[in-house]
Amino acid sequence: MLRGLIFLSTLGALALGAALWFTRPERVDLASLALPEGDAARGETVFWAAGCASCHKANGSDTPLVLAGGQRFASDFGTFLAPNISPDPIHGIGEWTVEDFANAVWKGTSPEGRHYYPAFPYTSYARMSPGDLADLWAFFQTLPHSDSPSLPHELGFPFNIRASLGGWKILFAGVGFTGPAPSPQIERGRYLVEALGHCAECHTGRNLLGGLDRANWLKGAPNPSGQGRIPGITPAQLKWSETDIAYYLETGFTPDFDSAGGKMADVISGLSQLPPEDRAAIAAYLKAL
C-alpha cells in the first residue's frame, strides 16, 4: 500500500514536471532573427494601428501618448487591469531591452519568464512583422514617462495560476492568418485587422476556455462587461460600403448619422491617425470576408 502511494506520488510529480516543462514560457531567438534597426517615425504608425493607447492610456485621459495604464477590462475569468508601459524605468518598461519587448509581443512572455494573460492580445501580435516590431519599440523610446504603478489583476482561483497559461497557449496561440489574400490591398488590410489591430479579440466570440471561435470569425461576440453585444463586422452583418467603413474609421460617424462610443471611440482615435490607404485596406479586407 505504502509502495503504491509512493509510486503514484512519484508518477504524479514526474507528470506535473513534464507538463510544466512542455508548457514553459517561450522566448524569441533574436540572434537568428536578425531584427532590423527600428525607425520611430514608422513606429508611430504601428503604434496607432496596434491600439496601444486605447488600452494603456490612463482611464478617461486625453493624453494617449502617456501609457500610464490602469484601465479595467472585465471578462468571464475576472478583471484585468492594463499595466503602465511607459518608458519609466521603475513603474513602466524603461528597463526592458528590445528582446524583452519581442518576447512580450510575440510570445506573451515577461522579462521574468512568466506567462502574460491573453487580455494582452499577443495571440494577434504574434503575426506582427519583425520590422514593425522594431519600429514600434523605437517609437516607445520617445514617449513620456509615467510614475503611476501598475495594479494587479483581480482574478480568482484557478485563473490566478499563470502556469496554466502554457497549456492555453498550446491550444490557442500561434495561429496564422485566416487565408490567402486575393490582392495586395486586401493583404495589407488583413495584416492591419488580424495582426496589428487585433479586431478579432473583441469582434469574435470565444469558447469556454477563452479561445477565439474561429468558425465565427468577426461575426460578433457578447460584451465582456455584460452590457449588450459587440457587433459582427463581416459583410453578412455590416452592410456598409467600403467608403462608409473607411469614413467611420476616420471620423467615428456611421452612415446612419450615429457615432462610435465606448472603447470603439478610443480605437477610432488611433485608426484616424493612419494614412487613408490603410483605412481603405481595412475596409477592403472586411468586405472581402
Side-chain angles (χ1 to χ4, degrees):
M1 182 69 160
L2 181 58
R3 285 184 177 180
L5 289 174
I6 293 174
F7 174 77
L8 289 175
S9 298
T10 303
L11 189 63
L14 290 173
L16 178 61
L20 291 174
W21 189 86
F22 280 112
T23 61
R24 69 194 185 281
E26 295 185 17
R27 293 184 178 275
V28 176
D29 182 6
L30 287 189
S32 63
L33 186 61
L35 197 69
E37 184 175 351
D39 178 271
R42 292 194 304 264
E44 183 175 5
T45 297
V46 181
F47 176 87
W48 295 121
C52 305
S54 61
C55 286
H56 289 278
K57 70 174 185 176
N59 199 32
S61 172
D62 293 326
T63 52
L65 295 182
V66 181
L67 304 181
Q71 290 191 59
R72 301 168 63 87
F73 297 90
S75 79
D76 293 337
F77 309 100
T79 299
F80 297 93
L81 283 85
N84 180 335
I85 58 169
S86 78
D88 188 85
I90 298 175
H91 299 288
I93 61 173
E95 293 296 314
W96 284 22
T97 65
V98 67
E99 185 172 6
D100 293 331
F101 189 67
N103 283 323
V105 170
W106 281 334
K107 299 295 184 181
T109 298
S110 76
E112 299 78 27
R114 303 175 69 198
H115 292 296
Y116 281 125
Y117 287 100
F120 170 38
Y122 52 79
T123 53
S124 294
Y125 289 159
R127 306 179 185 94
M128 187 184 299
S129 70
D132 278 354
L133 184 139
D135 292 341
L136 180 59
W137 176 245
F139 181 68
F140 261 72
Q141 310 314 303
T142 71
L143 297 179
H145 291 219
S146 168
D147 59 3
S148 298
S150 297
L151 301 175
H153 301 311
E154 298 170 0
L155 307 175
F157 181 83
F159 306 116
N160 57 352
I161 301 176
R162 287 180 184 260
S164 63
L165 290 168
W168 188 94
K169 287 180 178 179
I170 290 174
L171 291 173
F172 304 117
V175 179
F177 288 112
T178 53
S183 72
Q185 184 189 42
I186 293 176
E187 182 176 14
R188 174 63 177 171
R190 179 182 64 178
Y191 178 69
L192 289 166
V193 169
E194 296 188 25
L196 299 186
H198 58 279
C199 305
E201 303 289 342
C202 288
H203 290 277
T204 300
R206 295 180 180 272
N207 58 31
L208 291 176
L209 296 177
L212 291 175
D213 178 10
R214 294 183 179 274
N216 291 293
W217 186 253
L218 298 178
K219 293 182 179 179
N223 192 321
S225 69
Q227 300 176 359
R229 182 175 175 83
I230 297 171
I233 52 176
T234 70
Q237 289 90 24
L238 190 64
K239 304 299 184 181
W240 301 351
S241 69
E242 288 186 29
T243 301
D244 291 336
I245 294 171
Y247 183 73
Y248 174 73
L249 297 178
E250 179 184 7
T251 66
F253 292 111
T254 75
D256 307 315
F257 307 103
D258 198 358
S259 60
K263 294 294 183 184
M264 193 62 202
D266 288 333
V267 172
I268 288 175
S269 70
L271 295 179
S272 66
Q273 306 296 318
L274 300 183
E277 55 267 27
D278 275 351
R279 290 189 294 272
I282 292 172
Y285 165 86
L286 293 178
K287 296 301 290 185
L289 284 172

